[in-house]
Amino acid sequence: MLSFKGPRAKDLCDPHLGETRRAFLRVGGASLFGLSLPQIMQLQSNQAQAAEATGKADAHHSGGPGWGKAKSIIMVYLQGGPSHLDLWDPKENVPDNVKSQFKPISTKIPGVKFTENLPRLSQVNDKFTMIRSMSYTPNGLFNHTAAIYQMMTGYTTDKVSPSGQLEPPSPKDFPNFGSNIVKMKPLDEPMLPFVMLPRPLQESNVVGKGGTAGFLGKAFDPYTLYPPGDDMDMDKLQKIRTDDLSLRDEVFDVRLQRRANLRQALNEQMPVINEAVEKFELDQNYDRALSLILSGRARDAFQLSAEDDVLRDAYGRNSFGQSCLLARRLVEAGTRVVEVIWPKVANSDNHSWDHHSGLSKRMKDQSAPMLDNGLTTLIEDLDQRGMLEETLVVAVGEFGRSPQRGVSTSGNNNSDDGRDHWPYCYTAVVAGAGMKRGFVYGKSDKTASAPVDNPVHPAELLATIYHSFGIDPETIVYNHLNQPRELVKAQAVTSLMT
């Protein structure tokens, strides 16, 4: 932010406020979430560079099924690692300590079964593809933090402890996939490009790892919408505050214009400063931030009360369900990337997916109903509105759970009614934007321990997401040391797409 320091003086626009120190001339106002609107709008200031980079990618990419069909994405991130055996890949005729305690049920696809935990989702699986062969061999990735980082960036870090713990977020980190997308596919309308809600990625005291723009710079960070309240507060989405998307009541048009004139006068008197900051395109960023505020588009998108009560009930009156509804509203208003983070932190209890104990009760009464209602209604709602054609929906965790209950695979203690971390085989759901409908890709073995065929690495899933946006996964970006790096070192799984 550009600062104009000066002596104490009367505010030229607000004399009634009395003495004030004009320490800063702020462009766009301060953000409650650590990122000012001009910084967010700077996402769009690199359109020429992004177009050039994307053009190069298009020039040597062969295209193929699904290429460029996605205009937006909703990532439903099931942080904590849901048990595939107890949700959407149950196994029969297996030992008791492997078999799910939940009954298998039929789905819309003949021969494909879910468990009784997903009655609604089982009736819409003709609208999406299931990947039952997600798999990777961990290298210090048995615990959540490093696995989350890999899932969100496509990379592992140099400093990984044996337990999989990482250091806090760093400007040197690889970017979250959403940051790469909005950099290379900037918006051409006044809207928030990238939103993350309703909580940050987290394990223990490591908060936000894998959830930032890293070496791309803060301008490409997500707009983080984290309402107040703890993880058990199901009404958190009623407490959304978007103060930085609104003009204060006392700021009316005349005063706004006077402030703009003052800014212009200062710019005209400071050619040296203008030249020094020219590359930051402050005028453009200011204009885009102002357009976003005045358009009211983002502010209106957050008004969940505008939705019909019946639809809100269908999504689920809880933080996950209402986050899915808000994701749809944001995409409808023009947001490119929305990441809905499962509202309970990993390494915990209650409705967390980290079921080391108490799985049978916690999954049945808490986590599974939230997922079943929220994800089902999101897919149905997008489809009925015609939005699923250009909106990619991905639901995935950082790993699955161990086939055998009560064993330790990551150094954690597990009860007989719990499963440990298992990266070797798990399930993801992908829908919309050219993804096949009613399709099952890959297959797990008889105990869901490993893929029988077509294993899909998390990096390949990210490559598929990039491909869906018409971005070559091998497109080169430059890190903080100006070193070339691929977006991801993997190829898209085009067999998932039409």
Side-chain angles (χ1 to χ4, degrees):
M1 183 177 294
L2 183 61
S3 301
F4 297 93
K5 296 189 176 181
R8 296 175 64 86
K10 294 282 187 178
D11 190 300
L12 298 180
C13 295
D14 305 290
H16 64 284
L17 295 179
E19 293 290 317
T20 177
R21 180 177 177 84
R22 183 173 292 276
F24 301 97
L25 181 64
R26 295 184 184 271
V27 180
S31 170
L32 294 176
F33 307 100
L35 187 66
S36 68
L37 282 173
Q39 287 176 303
I40 294 173
M41 291 301 100
Q42 190 174 335
L43 298 175
Q44 299 177 32
S45 68
N46 295 320
Q47 290 186 6
Q49 299 94 314
E52 181 181 359
T54 305
K56 290 177 180 178
D58 291 350
H60 73 270
H61 197 284
S62 60
W67 174 258
K69 290 189 177 181
K71 298 297 184 290
S72 57
I73 179 173
I74 298 173
M75 165 66 83
V76 178
Y77 192 60
L78 307 178
Q79 179 180 311
S83 172
H84 50 301
L85 289 103
D86 297 294
L87 290 173
W88 32 39
D89 194 10
K91 299 296 180 179
E92 300 181 79
N93 302 316
V94 292
D96 287 343
N97 67 340
V98 173
K99 188 175 182 179
S100 174
Q101 298 180 57
F102 304 109
K103 296 177 182 179
I105 61 173
S106 298
T107 71
K108 276 291 190 71
I109 305 175
V112 175
K113 293 189 176 182
F114 289 176
T115 71
E116 60 184 318
N117 286 318
L118 302 176
R120 289 190 60 198
L121 204 63
S122 70
Q123 296 306 299
V124 297
N125 69 331
D126 58 336
K127 298 180 186 295
F128 57 78
T129 281
M130 296 187 62
I131 306 173
R132 277 180 161 171
S133 54
M134 294 296 300
S135 177
Y136 63 93
T137 300
N139 178 18
L141 293 174
F142 265 103
N143 278 344
H144 301 278
T145 319
I148 290 169
Y149 185 85
Q150 175 183 251
M151 184 67 253
M152 288 296 179
T153 70
Y155 285 87
T156 58
T157 61
D158 295 332
K159 297 180 180 180
V160 181
S161 72
S163 69
Q165 295 292 337
L166 296 182
E167 296 178 342
S170 163
K172 301 176 183 179
D173 287 345
F174 278 91
N176 180 284
F177 75 92
S179 299
N180 281 326
I181 289 173
V182 297
K183 181 180 187 296
M184 301 192 70
K185 296 289 184 179
L187 297 180
D188 55 5
E189 54 191 351
M191 187 55 190
L192 298 169
F194 179 12
V195 179
M196 184 179 288
L197 72 153
R199 67 166 349 275
L201 299 165
Q202 178 179 353
E203 182 189 16
S204 301
N205 62 347
V206 181
V207 181
K209 193 69 172 180
T212 73
F215 61 66
L216 290 184
K218 285 187 172 295
F220 297 97
D221 275 344
Y223 183 91
T224 54
L225 189 73
Y226 304 154
D230 63 30
D231 289 350
M232 293 302 292
D233 184 350
M234 295 293 103
D235 293 323
K236 286 176 69 170
L237 272 291
Q238 303 300 322
K239 304 172 185 176
I240 292 173
R241 293 187 62 192
T242 55
D243 301 43
D244 56 343
L245 297 176
S246 305
L247 290 174
R248 293 185 310 182
D249 291 339
E250 67 271 21
V251 179
F252 51 88
D253 291 346
V254 174
R255 292 176 58 203
L256 192 64
Q257 185 60 50
R258 289 169 64 187
R259 291 181 176 181
N261 290 342
L262 172 61
R263 173 175 155 273
Q264 181 63 32
L266 285 169
N267 285 343
E268 290 173 354
Q269 296 300 316
M270 298 181 181
V272 176
I273 293 179
N274 284 340
E275 182 178 354
V277 301
E278 182 178 3
K279 68 176 181 179
F280 297 109
E281 298 178 318
L282 295 178
D283 286 345
Q284 292 184 38
N285 296 331
Y286 180 94
D287 291 341
R288 292 187 179 110
L290 189 58
S291 294
L292 176 59
I293 292 172
L294 294 179
S295 75
R297 176 178 287 181
R299 188 172 62 253
D300 292 344
F302 291 118
Q303 301 303 314
L304 290 174
S305 59
E307 293 289 340
D308 184 84
D309 283 341
V310 174
L311 184 61
R312 294 191 68 182
D313 291 342
Y315 271 98
R317 295 282 185 158
N318 52 66
S319 49
F320 175 72
Q322 298 303 291
S323 292
C324 288
L325 173 56
L326 180 53
R328 189 224 82 205
R329 289 180 60 84
L330 286 166
V331 166
E332 198 168 29
T335 294
R336 183 81 73 207
V337 179
V338 183
E339 292 185 19
V340 176
I341 311 300
W342 188 256
K344 191 74 174 77
V345 67
N347 193 23
S348 61
D349 51 12
N350 294 299
H351 60 270
S352 166
W353 291 114
D354 202 22
H355 289 129
H356 292 283
S357 62
L359 184 153
S360 58
K361 180 174 176 57
R362 287 168 51 202
M363 181 171 279
K364 180 179 180 180
D365 297 340
Q366 295 177 309
S367 49
M370 289 169 60
L371 174 64
D372 193 40
N373 289 323
L375 184 57
T376 299
T377 308
L378 176 63
I379 292 171
E380 288 181 325
D381 195 11
L382 290 169
D383 197 32
Q384 290 169 4
R385 293 170 185 269
M387 297 172 59
L388 200 56
E389 293 299 315
E390 295 185 337
T391 304
L392 181 62
V393 178
V394 178
V396 66
E398 59 267 32
F399 40 59
R401 310 302 292 189
S402 60
Q404 293 186 50
R405 296 192 305 273
V407 302
S408 177
T409 62
S410 64
N412 288 287
N413 294 321
N414 298 269
S415 73
D416 291 337
D417 189 24
R419 299 185 192 267
D420 210 337
H421 307 166
W422 194 260
Y424 305 105
C425 188
Y426 58 109
T427 298
V429 165
V430 291
M435 294 295 173
K436 293 178 179 178
R437 291 180 173 233
F439 184 60
V440 178
Y441 185 83
K443 181 181 178 181
S444 61
D445 63 16
K446 63 180 181 180
T447 59
S449 301
V452 173
D453 55 33
N454 296 323
V456 177
H457 191 278
E460 292 178 301
L461 181 58
L462 289 185
T464 306
I465 291 172
Y466 290 131
H467 177 95
S468 296
F469 278 88
I471 300 171
D472 188 338
E474 295 181 338
T475 297
I476 297 297
V477 293
Y478 290 86
N479 69 8
H480 59 291
L481 298 176
N482 204 33
Q483 298 167 323
R485 296 288 184 265
E486 297 96 338
L487 288 180
V488 64
K489 295 180 179 180
Q491 296 296 314
V493 185
T494 56
S495 299
L496 301 171
M497 307 177 226
T498 57

